[in-house]
């Protein structure tokens, strides 16, 4: 496991998302109600970058065809076909800095 810097917690406000590339993976980090969550940033339908989608509470809507994902778990909430989960990564906050473990 490598700990990868995401950014300053103060720059990822509530309801905001950011993304990093780490260990060859595209990762999305979201702040939901003051807690940080990390999941895959590439939609398992056709490859959209999910940080360009819309975040509503913990529900993230893909910008291309509207698949809905739970950013706290990486699980699919809605789509006409079953899509693989996005995965989930551990996030830590130390001295106001957000890290993700990859
Ligand atoms: S690429 Fe995300 S729903 Fe199609």
């Amino acid at each position: 496991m490598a700990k990868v810097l995401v950014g300053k917690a103060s720059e990822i406000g509530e309801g905001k998302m950011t993304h990093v590339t780490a260990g060859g993976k595209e990762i999305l980090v979201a702040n939901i109600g003051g807690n940080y969550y990390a999941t895959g940033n590439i939609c398992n339908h056709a490859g959209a970058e999910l940080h360009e989608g819309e975040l509503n509470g913990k529900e993230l809507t893909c910008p291309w065809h509207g698949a809905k994902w739970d950013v706290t778990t990486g699980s699919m909430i809605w789509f006409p076909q079953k899509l693989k989960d996005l995965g989930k990564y551990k996030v830590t906050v130390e001295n106001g800095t957000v890290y993700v473990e990859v």
Side-chain angles (χ1 to χ4, degrees):
M1 284 275 161
K3 208 155 103 179
V4 176
L5 177 92
V6 177
K8 282 191 196 311
S10 59
E11 288 170 1
I12 314 165
E14 277 194 39
K16 296 272 186 287
M17 300 182 273
T18 187
H19 64 112
V20 289
T21 304
K25 295 184 175 127
E26 301 281 335
I27 298 170
L28 175 145
V29 178
N31 178 341
I32 314 288
N35 295 311
Y36 294 87
Y37 299 92
T39 186
N41 191 34
I42 303 300
C43 184
N44 278 334
H45 175 232
E49 292 193 45
L50 290 167
H51 73 276
E52 293 176 350
E54 267 190 36
L55 189 60
N56 197 341
K58 63 180 188 174
E59 189 178 283
L60 169 63
T61 303
C62 177
W64 285 3
H65 317 103
K68 292 186 190 297
W69 302 94
D70 181 334
V71 288
T72 67
T73 62
S75 304
M76 189 185 89
I77 295 172
W78 176 87
F79 199 63
Q81 72 194 70
K82 173 91 181 101
L83 302 174
K84 251 177 66 191
D85 286 359
L86 299 170
K88 188 178 170 183
Y89 302 90
K90 189 170 179 214
V91 182
T92 51
V93 182
E94 289 168 30
N95 298 324
T97 304
V98 181
Y99 298 90
V100 65
E101 285 181 26
V102 182

